[in-house]
Amino acid sequence: MPEQPAFSQRMVSLAGTLAIAFAIGHVMQSGAQMADAVGLAPQGPVTPQVTDAIGVLDERSVSDLALTRASRPRSETVVARMARPSEPLVSPVVAAVTAAQSGTGLNAVGTVRAGKNGDRKAGGNCTVRLAATEQPAAMVSLRIEAPCYANARVVVNHDGLVFSSIIGENGTLTATIPAMVENATFRVSFEDGATAGTTLDVPSRRNYERVALQWIGRGAGLGLHALEFGAGYGDAGDVWVGASRDPSAGLRADGGFLTSLGNPLSPNPVLAQVYSYPAGRSVRSGVIRIRIRAAINDLNCGGWLDAQALQPDGLGGLRISTVSMSVPDCDRIGEYLELKNILLDMKIASN
Amino acid sequence: MASGRLIAAVILLGSLLSSPAGAEDVTLRSRDGSVEVTGEFLNFDGEFFQIRTVHGELMVDASGVICEGAGCPDLNAYVSTVRFSGAADIVLEMMPSLVEAFAARNGYDHRVIIETPERFIYELGDRPTNQIAARFFFDATNSSEGLKVLAGGEADIAVSMREVTPVEIRAAQAARLGDLTSPRQSQTLALDALVPITGDRNPVSSLTVSELVKIMSGEIRNWSELGGEDAPIDLHMRNRSSGLPIVFERRLLAQYDLELSEQVNWHLDSQEMADTVAQQSTAIALASRRETGNAKVISLRGNCGFPLDHGNNAVKTDDYPLTAPFYLYFPDRRLPKIARDFLSYLRTPQAQAVIRSLGYVDLSAELTDLDEEGRRLLNAILKAEDATGLTSLKSMVAELGNAGRLSLSFRFDGGISRLDTQSRSAINLMALALEAGFYDDRELILVGFSDGRGDAAANLGLARRRAIAVREALFEAAPTADFSRAKIGVLAMGEAMPIACDDEDWGRDLNRRVEIWMRYR
């Protein structure tokens, strides 16, 4: 297509606006950058072709999960568009979910789909193995054995709860993950397209109320606060990343605990926080206010934060809301953006 | 290469984002070519073209025609816009769940864009085309503001925790928005109830209705008058524009010719009010049943001792004196199809289940059999004054022993000519169910009751007239229902089985009612 000056100029200004809009830093202009945004771009020693990378985003899963991104209404015209009209524009977190879910035949334990590394190490054992075991407080220990992926970025997706981390030097990684559903599914994916999955029944899940928030990138300033039974910010009953407690609090049934997921040092990190309360065995009753707070900082001020909120849908399932929030201008650095109603308060009855 | 594709995409989006096409002539041709109209393009709402022809303005179903001419809109790029404004409690706490459930049910992806904590936008994406199909704009303000911007043309749907006032009705008429009291322009979304709350250390756990009224009007000023500590009572309430004070004034204060005290601490936010009151044992507030936070709920009773339950059933049957329906109001013009779909969805059992899961009271009728009415029966037997009372109770048990009570009641705004708002919405719900054949091969019995004032025989006659009036209203509201399959009988019970005290105005109001019972045939 011949370039028309007027439009290329517009493109430049769009790209400029976008860089601000995605304060956490993803300008989806081309296939390569799209792949980068979803965490599938070349990283470290693995250097697949871009086409390989975006091949993971198969047509069906994209249309199932992705929401077309066009403009942000009522704000500056901010338009992100994928290269081909058939490829939707997705918010980064949704895209990460899509990427992690798009493999086929994921239910068996062990390697399901080999990536570039598997091909490269012909003859070597590059099988990715997952082992999930139930832990106290409806937690799941997920051990990833990925001998060919030492130091590589990995994305873990548990029924929509997504985070990224780095496989250790020795080719293994163990993560302790709050079960979001009773029949839990775990899928891991690597940047070259390799995926593996496993499932685990976690019957103790029904004793816990759980909500989660996930987002992409350091510097988002985002976090969950659970204000238990009338507590204010900073009180003993304010459970947040700075006072997170551990799952034994849940076992004692006198309070909830917060689990942080994702390695902030992983490239393009997908991070999550999960708050759990042992509602099934609670000795207290009342309301736990769930707040999302974003510290307004120089990385996010005046821009937008993209996140996903996970909570019970009230009908027995999990409700995942994709949220883009406008962050106040930079003259308010140091203040907080507080959102009270994205995650609904927990109403706890004593047992 | 990538940038070339981007440019193509931007051109496409440019057309999507541009304002509606200018005044240009278009030709609409039926697909078989037999009919053709030409005119100035005015609007496209996702379903219908609106054009101005020499014959006047026409609405043409887009599915049946092909649009030709420079003024034709890009049908695929059409994005419906629906603007909601009003009560923050409903907009912030109920609407997101409902919109997301609506999206999931209709195959839309969704994303919420939060511009400020009080303003957000839901984008619904059409999965097959990956296009944005609709944007729902939400402004969380208050009931008064929502109705104001509706009249000002800046909202399509007003969300209110109270009924429209005469002033607001006139404002809407003046703005050519039609009659907001018409059933076509309003819809009951859900029910709520106001309950008194206090700090969790306050020993007072029960109040009579008249005590509550005297507290809120400032006649009772110290907890010691109520068996509590010697401490002044701090009054708390949601601010006036929320609509909640009006519910209390209309339903109770007016009956006692009293006004709200001027010493009330007003709150802009329900959560904040509950959190404040929870920490003060001298405080009392009237709060939404759903948003009592960590405060202690004080139970209400009638002056003659009737306990007033605020459970789901008592709220649905309006047997609790402080029920507060939530309303949606919309103008007398065609809303985009997706807006109409959403409004219809809100009436479905699926949407009502979402509302129930959020702690509000849904509108669906529940069935309780006579066994579960034991407490009411016991009360009735204890109150039955003479043989006549016991006889009518016996006949009631005989008639209804094999039937169950539906959780809908009907009451009148004085006389029997006009049903009150909640009853009108109950009529509409019953009518929908009747037309859908939900009660086919069953028998519905409208049971009329009266208060206990005056002559028992006369009361029996009044009760029958009330029941007949409700049956007429049902016939009228459900013209396509097959009443040979869903039989509707009428029964008069007079003053038997009161549900509230007859020595108070509001109690007699509650007692003058028509219940609806059902049995299988």
Side-chain angles (χ1 to χ4, degrees):
Chain A
M1 173 180 285
E3 291 215 354
Q4 295 173 16
F7 283 113
S8 63
Q9 190 143 22
R10 174 155 186 199
M11 180 192 79
V12 170
S13 78
L14 280 173
T17 325
L18 267 178
I20 299 164
F22 292 80
I24 43 181
H26 309 290
V27 184
M28 291 181 282
Q29 276 178 288
S30 65
Q33 278 167 297
M34 177 65 198
D36 180 46
V38 305
L40 294 166
Q43 299 284 352
V46 190
T47 53
Q49 295 299 304
V50 167
T51 46
D52 287 338
I54 61 171
V56 180
L57 287 163
D58 72 65
E59 203 79 35
R60 184 203 58 78
S61 60
V62 166
S63 62
D64 277 351
L65 289 160
L67 174 66
T68 306
R69 174 187 292 270
S71 65
R72 293 182 192 271
R74 285 204 193 171
S75 51
E76 291 300 306
T77 305
V78 179
V79 182
R81 242 347 240 198
M82 279 284 291
R84 279 176 290 149
S86 64
E87 288 171 349
L89 294 158
V90 293
S91 83
V93 181
V94 179
V97 174
T98 308
Q101 287 181 343
S102 59
T104 51
L106 288 168
N107 289 328
V109 176
T111 296
V112 172
R113 184 166 161 180
K116 287 268 162 191
N117 283 16
D119 302 338
R120 194 178 57 193
K121 268 198 167 182
N125 183 5
C126 275
T127 305
V128 177
R129 292 187 183 280
L130 297 183
T133 48
E134 187 175 354
Q135 301 290 315
M139 303 294 281
V140 174
S141 169
L142 183 72
R143 180 178 162 82
I144 307 167
E145 284 181 33
C148 302
Y149 292 91
N151 302 316
R153 179 178 189 266
V154 61
V155 173
V156 180
N157 182 342
H158 156 46
D159 293 288
L161 176 71
V162 182
F163 60 92
S164 67
S165 192
I166 304 170
I167 300 292
E169 231 16 282
N170 60 358
T172 70
L173 176 73
T174 301
T176 305
I177 306 167
M180 297 304 291
V181 294
E182 260 187 73
N183 305 111
T185 304
F186 299 88
R187 290 162 180 178
V188 301
S189 55
F190 295 90
E191 282 142 14
D192 63 353
T195 60
T198 188
T199 61
L200 181 71
D201 284 348
V202 189
S204 59
R205 168 69 179 89
R206 70 189 68 164
N207 288 329
Y208 287 82
E209 286 256 337
R210 254 176 197 151
V211 295
L213 182 72
Q214 60 199 21
W215 64 92
I216 292 186
R218 295 174 286 271
L222 277 167
L224 276 185
H225 284 257
L227 303 171
E228 294 180 342
F229 307 110
Y233 286 111
D235 293 350
D238 174 11
V239 183
W240 62 293
V241 70
S244 58
R245 304 195 190 136
D246 59 46
S248 65
L251 285 181
R252 289 193 305 270
D254 58 354
F257 61 96
L258 187 102
T259 311
S260 293
L261 296 167
N263 184 340
L265 299 177
S266 60
N268 202 9
V270 186
L271 306 173
Q273 290 180 1
V274 184
Y275 173 73
S276 308
Y277 186 85
R281 297 183 300 117
S282 181
V283 294
R284 304 182 67 178
S285 64
V287 167
I288 301 172
R289 304 245 183 248
I290 309 293
R291 302 284 189 248
I292 295 172
R293 281 222 296 192
I296 303 168
N297 59 36
D298 54 3
L299 290 172
N300 66 20
C301 64
W304 293 84
L305 290 176
D306 289 330
Q308 280 186 319
L310 289 75
Q311 63 192 318
D313 66 0
L315 308 171
L318 198 61
R319 168 181 157 207
I320 304 182
S321 311
T322 302
V323 180
S324 297
M325 49 201 124
S326 169
V327 183
D329 286 336
C330 299
D331 54 2
R332 294 180 58 187
I333 286 176
E335 295 178 37
Y336 291 92
L337 173 67
E338 183 191 44
L339 298 170
K340 295 177 174 182
N341 298 292
I342 302 300
L343 288 165
L344 296 174
D345 294 339
M346 288 183 180
K347 301 202 167 163
I348 306 297
S350 61
N351 288 276
Chain B
M1 192 179 80
S3 67
R5 286 200 299 258
L6 178 72
I7 289 164
V10 167
I11 295 168
L12 194 144
L13 266 169
S15 67
L16 189 151
L17 295 168
S18 65
S19 52
E24 287 183 83
D25 276 2
V26 298
T27 298
L28 303 178
R29 189 168 287 134
S30 66
R31 293 191 185 276
D32 61 7
S34 63
V35 185
E36 182 182 308
V37 282
T38 299
E40 179 193 340
F41 174 80
L42 294 175
N43 191 28
F44 173 64
D45 71 356
E47 198 181 4
F48 283 82
F49 290 110
Q50 194 182 353
I51 62 169
R52 182 178 293 137
T53 70
V54 290
H55 311 294
E57 286 185 18
L58 285 182
M59 299 277 278
V60 180
D61 186 340
S63 64
V65 295
I66 295 157
C67 185
E68 291 167 359
C72 287
D74 179 351
L75 302 199
N76 293 324
Y78 173 77
V79 180
S80 302
T81 297
V82 194
R83 299 161 302 167
F84 296 76
S85 181
D89 294 57
I90 307 173
V91 168
L92 294 173
E93 293 179 15
M94 197 191 277
M95 285 299 172
S97 298
L98 286 169
V99 173
E100 290 182 20
F102 168 75
R105 189 171 167 77
N106 291 281
Y108 295 113
D109 292 310
H110 70 265
R111 182 170 69 122
V112 57
I113 297 159
I114 299 168
E115 295 204 320
T116 71
E118 290 79 36
R119 168 173 286 190
F120 59 93
I121 303 148
Y122 265 91
E123 285 184 349
L124 303 189
D126 188 37
R127 279 186 197 150
T129 62
N130 285 317
Q131 295 273 1
I132 292 178
R135 291 199 182 93
F136 287 8
F137 290 82
F138 288 94
D139 271 313
T141 53
N142 56 61
S143 305
S144 303
E145 181 69 13
L147 287 157
K148 196 174 120 196
V149 300
L150 182 77
E154 297 144 43
D156 304 303
I157 296 175
V159 183
S160 177
M161 299 172 89
R162 59 163 173 82
E163 281 184 83
V164 280
T165 62
V167 172
E168 287 160 348
I169 294 166
R170 282 198 298 276
Q173 272 164 347
R176 297 176 178 277
L177 297 179
D179 176 9
L180 291 184
T181 63
S182 140
R184 288 178 50 244
Q185 290 189 241
S186 70
Q187 168 168 338
T188 308
L189 177 63
L191 303 172
D192 195 17
L194 294 180
V195 295
I197 57 171
T198 185
D200 56 359
R201 286 189 197 84
N202 189 329
V204 176
S205 57
S206 163
L207 291 172
T208 66
V209 169
S210 65
E211 281 169 342
L212 175 68
V213 165
K214 285 174 185 161
I215 292 168
M216 298 311 290
S217 61
E219 281 197 15
I220 297 178
R221 291 160 188 266
N222 195 296
W223 285 106
S224 62
E225 295 175 58
L226 303 159
E229 295 169 30
D230 180 14
I233 301 174
D234 295 319
L235 303 178
H236 295 259
M237 202 140 186
R238 284 297 315 280
N239 61 321
R240 198 158 273 290
S241 50
S242 74
L244 290 181
I246 299 174
V247 172
F248 181 59
E249 285 167 339
R250 278 194 191 153
R251 299 226 33 184
L252 284 181
L253 279 178
Q255 309 236 14
Y256 288 81
D257 280 327
L258 289 171
E259 288 177 6
L260 265 182
S261 161
E262 287 176 6
Q263 307 297 316
V264 172
N265 298 287
W266 301 105
H267 293 262
L268 284 167
D269 180 304
S270 292
Q271 293 185 2
E272 183 267 328
M273 180 174 81
D275 289 347
T276 303
V277 169
Q279 291 174 355
Q280 295 176 19
S281 59
T282 59
I284 188 168
L286 271 178
S288 155
R289 189 192 78 148
R290 166 189 148 73
E291 193 45 79
T292 56
N294 294 295
K296 168 177 161 180
V297 177
I298 298 177
S299 62
L300 280 182
R301 58 181 200 276
N303 297 350
C304 66
F306 265 113
L308 295 165
D309 171 35
H310 59 260
N312 282 3
N313 261 322
V315 174
K316 285 183 185 183
T317 54
D318 207 6
D319 293 352
Y320 181 73
L322 282 173
T323 57
F326 295 158
Y327 305 94
L328 301 178
Y329 290 99
F330 22 93
D332 183 23
R333 66 174 146 81
R334 189 182 181 79
L335 293 174
K337 181 171 186 306
I338 198 166
R340 286 179 279 128
D341 288 347
F342 182 64
L343 290 173
S344 303
Y345 165 77
L346 294 178
R347 297 183 203 260
T348 62
Q350 290 79 16
Q352 293 293 315
V354 172
I355 286 168
R356 195 163 50 238
S357 78
L358 293 173
Y360 294 99
V361 182
D362 61 295
L363 303 169
S364 57
E366 282 173 47
L367 191 69
T368 53
D369 61 25
L370 195 59
D371 291 352
E372 294 169 57
E373 297 280 312
R375 190 188 187 92
R376 287 209 312 159
L377 265 181
L378 203 66
N379 274 325
I381 292 165
L382 288 173
K383 304 271 180 222
E385 282 169 0
D386 49 26
T388 325
L390 283 175
T391 308
S392 48
L393 271 179
K394 265 175 84 175
S395 77
M396 174 165 168
V397 172
E399 287 276 355
L400 301 176
N402 60 349
R405 183 187 176 198
L406 288 177
S407 60
L408 294 173
S409 292
F410 306 94
R411 290 184 172 84
F412 298 84
D413 278 340
I416 60 162
S417 56
R418 190 180 150 83
L419 286 157
D420 70 17
T421 325
Q422 192 169 331
S423 303
R424 289 201 299 277
S425 116
I427 291 275
N428 290 334
L429 279 171
M430 277 307 289
L432 283 175
L434 282 164
E435 291 192 333
F438 191 77
Y439 293 110
D440 282 1
D441 304 318
R442 297 170 196 197
E443 183 181 1
L444 295 171
I445 308 141
L446 295 164
V447 188
F449 295 89
S450 67
D451 62 39
R453 281 269 172 98
D455 173 58
N459 280 339
L460 207 58
L462 275 170
R464 178 172 300 279
R465 283 170 56 202
R466 285 194 186 102
I468 290 170
V470 170
R471 186 165 63 171
E472 293 299 310
L474 278 176
F475 286 158
E476 195 182 340
T480 68
D482 181 357
F483 288 105
S484 67
R485 298 198 64 187
K487 286 244 180 349
I488 302 186
V490 166
L491 188 67
M493 282 297 149
E495 56 195 61
M497 219 150 142
I499 54 172
C501 311
D502 271 324
D503 58 355
E504 292 162 297
D505 282 345
W506 63 267
R508 285 192 299 278
D509 280 353
L510 289 185
N511 286 335
R512 291 190 295 268
R513 71 201 185 274
V514 176
E515 297 181 356
I516 186 159
W517 291 63
M518 189 195 86
R519 79 173 141 234
Y520 296 91
R521 287 196 285 148

